[in-house]
Amino acid sequence: MRIRGRAVCLGADVDTDQIIAGRYLRTKDRRVWAEHAFEDLDPTLAPRLSGAIIIAGKNFGCGSSREQAAIALKEAGVVGVVAPFFARIFFRNAINVGLALIECACSCQVGVEVTADLTEGWVQVGGERIAAHPLSSRMREILQAGGLVEYGRLQR
Amino acid sequence: MVGTLSERILGGPAGSFVDRPVDRAYVHDGTGVLTLEAWRQMGERGPVHPERLSIIFDHIVPANTSVTANLQAELRQFAHTHGIAFSEVGEGIAHQVMSEGRVLPGELVVGADSHTCTLGAFGAFATGVGATDMAAIWTTGMVWLKIPATIAIRISGRLSGAAEAKDAALSYVACLGMDGATYQALEFIGEGVSSLSLSDRLTFSNLAVESGAKAGLFYADETTIHYLRSLGKEAGPQRPEDCTYAQEIGLDLGAIEPMLAIPPRVDTLKPVSALAGTPIQQVFVGTCTNGRYQDLERFARVVKGKKVTVRTLVVPASRAVLAEAARTGVLADLIEAGCTVGVPGCGPCLGAHMGVLGEGEICLSTANRNFTNRMGVGGGIYLCSPRTAAASALTGVITVPEES
Ligand code: SF4
C-alpha cells in the first residue's frame, strides 16, 4: 500500500488541541474541523493540507483523545502522516478513520514529493529513501477499506 | 499468571495483541456524539452489554448553546433507549463518577477520553480510546489491545512540608518527558505508596497519559479496599509478582517541593519559588486531576477566613464531592473567601465554555494540561497543586504555599 503527496513539515509533540482546538468540537460538521485544522499552530496551514503528507517530529497527536483531530486531517485532504512515533490514541484513531500513517524518522523539506510504502516500510522524501516500520496487515486492511466502520461492513 | 499487573489483567506477555471483553466502558458528552454516529454507521448493532456502559455528561455542562443542547439530547435519548447508566449534567466528571464505586481492581476499563488512565489507581487496566474504537466496543463488547511493556515508578519516602501528590505526579511526568512512556504502561510500586490516599493515587494515575502512557496502575491494597468498602464494594488486594520492567525510575516523595508546570508543556517544571511574584488573572481549582474533596478541603484550609484577591473558580469533580463539601462546611469557607463555585464537571479545563481566558491572561490551574490556547486564545496556563493555587489566590501573584 503506497501513498504519495507533497511534504508539509511540522515539529515535535504537536498535540490534538493544536490539530483542532477545543472550541471547534461542538458540531458534527466535519468541514468545520478541516477548515480550522492547526489554526493555533499556523493559521495559514489549513488551505495547504490538500494532497499533503505531513512529516512531523516525534509524539504527533499527543494529548486529548478527540477523534476530530484525525478526522480534520482526513477531511482537509491530508494523504498521510509520517512521524518517528505517534501518541497511541491518535495512532488508533487515524487507522480507524482511514488516515494513513507510518512511523519513520526522516528529514523534511517543504513542498517536496513524498512517497511512503506502508507494506514494505519505507518513506522517500525527495530522492532519499528511509526505512520505516511497516503497518500490520490488519491495519492496512482497515485503511484500505476507508476506516473501521467500512472495514466492519466488509467483514459481515 | 506472573508478570506485570497489566500483563496479568490482560492475560498475555507484553508485545502480544489480544481481543478482550471490556468490563466497563464509558463516554462523555464530548466523545459520545461521535461514538453514536460511528455506532449508527456500523449498523446499530448491540450494545451487547448495556449494563457495562456509562454515558456521563461533563464537558459542556449545562449546555451552552442550542447546538450543544441538541447533540446532548440525542445522546441522552440513546442512553435511555438502551438502558445505559446515564449521568446527567452536574453529576460530575466521567473519570470521577467512575471512581465512585463503578470500577474494581483487576477490571479492564475503556473510556473515550485520554484521562481514563485515572482509574488505574484501583488496580484496573484503564485506558483511553477514540470514538470509533468505542463504537466497536458498544457493538461487540470487545476491544483489541497490544499488551504494553511497563515502566515501574518506585516510590519511596513521604510527602513533607507544603508538597502534595500533584507536585510529585508532575515530577514523574517531567522525569519521563511528554513521550517517555509512549505505548507503555506505568506501575507505581514501592514502600512510599502506602502513604498516598486513594485521592492522591487518582492524581498520580491521571497524569500517566501526560507522559504518553497507555495506563498508570497501582496495586490494590488496604487503602483501596477500605475506600471501596466505604462505597459498599468488596475487593481483595493485588500482590506484586515477579516480573520484568522495561525501565525503573525512583521517586522520593520526601524530596518533592511545590512545583509549577510552565506553559505550554506539562513536562517543563520550575519550583514555585522560582516564579513567585508573577501576577495571575485567574485561579482554577477542579478537574479530574485535582477536583476531589481532599483537594477542595486543602484549598479551603488555606483561604478560610480570608479573601481571595483574584477571580477564583472552584469546580467540584462530582456532585458527591460537592455534597461532602457542603456537609463539612468546606463549601461555605470557599464561598465566604470569595471563590466562585461552578457546576460539577470539567468546567474551564478544556476552554469550551465558562472561565475562558482572555489574550495575555495567566491562569493558575490544578488541571493536567497547559497546552497553547487550551483555555482560550492567548491565555497561559501554569499547573500546580491545590495548596499552591490557594496561597496564590489570596495574593493575586504566584506564591509559595506554607506548610500546614
Ligand atoms: S477535567 Fe479536563 S482533563 Fe479531565 S476529563 Fe474534563 S476536560 Fe478532560
Side-chain angles (χ1 to χ4, degrees):
Chain A
M1 183 182 182
R2 209 166 270 193
I3 54 171
R4 206 169 266 120
R6 283 169 300 93
V8 162
C9 308
L10 295 178
D13 299 315
V14 174
D15 59 71
T16 51
D17 276 65
Q18 290 180 61
I19 301 175
I20 182 69
R23 58 186 180 278
Y24 296 117
L25 296 183
R26 247 27 75 174
T27 172
K28 285 199 277 187
D29 184 351
R30 290 159 186 249
R31 285 313 304 166
V32 171
W33 306 328
E35 277 161 24
H36 297 282
F38 297 118
E39 188 170 280
D40 291 349
L41 185 65
D42 175 358
T44 70
L45 214 50
R48 291 188 277 131
L49 294 175
S50 182
I53 288 185
I54 294 173
I55 299 184
K58 68 180 171 65
N59 205 24
F60 186 81
C62 59
S64 154
S65 71
R66 61 190 66 162
E67 196 161 294
Q68 290 93 335
I71 298 173
L73 301 187
K74 194 184 178 199
E75 195 67 30
V78 172
V79 178
V81 189
V82 181
F85 61 88
F86 295 85
R88 55 163 290 275
I89 301 179
F90 180 85
F91 189 98
R92 288 183 81 107
N93 288 347
I95 300 286
N96 285 344
V97 306
L99 174 69
L101 35 68
I102 188 160
E103 290 174 322
C104 176
C106 54
S107 55
C108 184
Q109 296 155 269
V110 184
V112 303
E113 161 120 346
V114 182
T115 311
D117 195 304
L118 313 184
T119 318
E120 293 170 10
W122 51 261
V123 178
Q124 188 166 318
V125 187
E128 202 192 350
R129 183 174 289 197
I130 305 114
H133 271 294
L135 287 185
S136 74
S137 57
R138 173 138 141 199
M139 287 177 193
R140 277 184 276 117
E141 280 165 27
I142 295 174
L143 281 181
Q144 242 138 12
L148 190 64
V149 168
E150 294 76 5
Y151 176 76
R153 274 197 209 118
L154 297 177
Q155 297 292 299
R156 262 188 289 158
Chain B
M1 184 199 154
V2 292
T4 65
L5 194 46
S6 298
E7 288 172 325
R8 282 153 62 187
I9 294 172
L10 298 175
S16 54
F17 287 88
V18 290
D19 279 292
R20 287 286 174 264
V22 171
D23 296 304
R24 311 278 155 207
Y26 61 101
V27 301
H28 52 64
D29 52 315
T31 52
V33 170
L34 269 187
T35 305
L36 182 55
E37 198 171 61
W39 178 78
R40 286 192 177 133
Q41 288 167 356
M42 285 177 185
E44 305 204 2
R45 284 177 299 146
V48 285
H49 286 294
E51 76 285 0
R52 297 183 187 169
L53 307 182
S54 297
I55 295 180
I56 301 166
F57 279 11
D58 61 5
H59 267 50
I60 301 197
V61 294
N64 58 341
T65 63
S66 40
V67 173
T68 312
N70 290 334
L71 293 173
Q72 291 186 357
E74 215 181 316
L75 198 54
R76 185 183 288 113
Q77 184 55 48
F78 170 80
H80 293 324
T81 305
H82 293 277
I84 295 168
F86 175 71
S87 299
E88 190 47 271
V89 298
E91 283 184 45
I93 303 169
H95 314 303
Q96 178 64 20
V97 171
M98 295 301 292
S99 79
E100 293 169 355
R102 291 196 201 177
V103 169
L104 294 175
E107 289 186 337
L108 171 54
V109 181
V110 183
D113 188 277
S114 59
H115 289 106
T116 304
C117 56
T118 309
L119 297 159
F122 290 99
F125 188 88
T127 195
V129 296
T132 302
D133 267 330
M134 184 53 75
I137 292 168
W138 283 1
T139 303
T140 64
M142 307 284 287
V143 67
W144 72 265
L145 291 166
K146 184 177 180 183
I147 300 181
T150 295
I151 299 175
I153 311 279
R154 188 172 288 280
I155 299 176
S156 60
R158 283 178 151 268
L159 291 165
S160 63
E164 294 189 352
K166 178 63 164 295
D167 301 303
L170 286 173
S171 299
Y172 88 69
V173 171
C175 176
L176 287 167
M178 260 168 72
D179 56 6
T182 303
Y183 305 144
Q184 300 180 74
L186 304 181
E187 228 172 65
F188 302 101
I189 57 170
E191 45 89 13
V193 166
S194 61
S195 71
L196 297 172
S197 69
L198 202 94
S199 185
D200 289 338
R201 296 178 193 187
L202 287 161
T203 302
F204 267 75
S205 292
N206 178 268
L207 282 172
V209 70
E210 304 313 325
S211 64
K214 190 165 187 165
L217 297 85
F218 282 86
Y219 286 80
D221 63 6
E222 279 309 311
T223 303
T224 325
I225 292 164
H226 184 79
Y227 175 91
L228 287 168
R229 193 166 293 153
S230 74
L231 297 166
K233 303 279 171 187
E234 286 302 322
Q238 295 163 320
R239 303 199 195 290
E241 306 270 358
D242 268 353
C243 65
T244 315
Y245 292 119
Q247 194 185 339
E248 192 170 316
I249 286 173
L251 182 69
D252 177 6
L253 296 180
I256 300 294
E257 57 173 316
M259 301 301 281
L260 292 169
I262 310 302
R265 294 179 66 100
V266 187
D267 62 357
T268 315
L269 299 193
K270 282 197 178 153
V272 176
S273 53
L275 285 157
T278 309
I280 51 178
Q281 283 73 43
Q282 178 169 299
V283 171
F284 169 40
V285 183
T287 78
C288 53
T289 316
N290 280 124
R292 281 173 277 281
Y293 176 74
Q294 188 186 72
D295 303 310
L296 268 50
E297 196 267 331
R298 282 175 181 160
F299 185 91
R301 217 185 295 156
V302 177
V303 300
K304 181 179 172 146
K306 303 188 177 123
K307 289 279 180 226
V308 299
T309 62
V310 58
R311 71 175 185 265
T312 300
L313 311 178
V314 180
V315 181
S318 72
R319 179 170 294 157
V321 169
L322 176 59
E324 192 171 354
R327 237 181 352 257
T328 60
V330 159
L331 186 61
D333 293 341
L334 293 171
I335 295 169
E336 279 157 22
C339 304
T340 298
V341 178
V343 177
C346 300
C349 179
L350 71 161
H353 81 145
M354 71 161 83
V356 172
L357 300 178
E359 187 85 41
E361 287 193 324
I362 298 292
C363 179
L364 199 60
S365 162
T366 65
N368 46 36
R369 284 189 180 140
N370 54 0
F371 299 159
T372 305
N373 297 348
R374 181 168 168 97
M375 284 180 67
V377 178
I381 308 165
Y382 289 76
L383 305 178
C384 69
S385 73
R387 204 186 308 221
T388 300
S392 307
L394 291 176
T395 57
V397 296
I398 289 177
T399 301
V400 179
E402 286 172 18
E403 291 181 29
S404 57

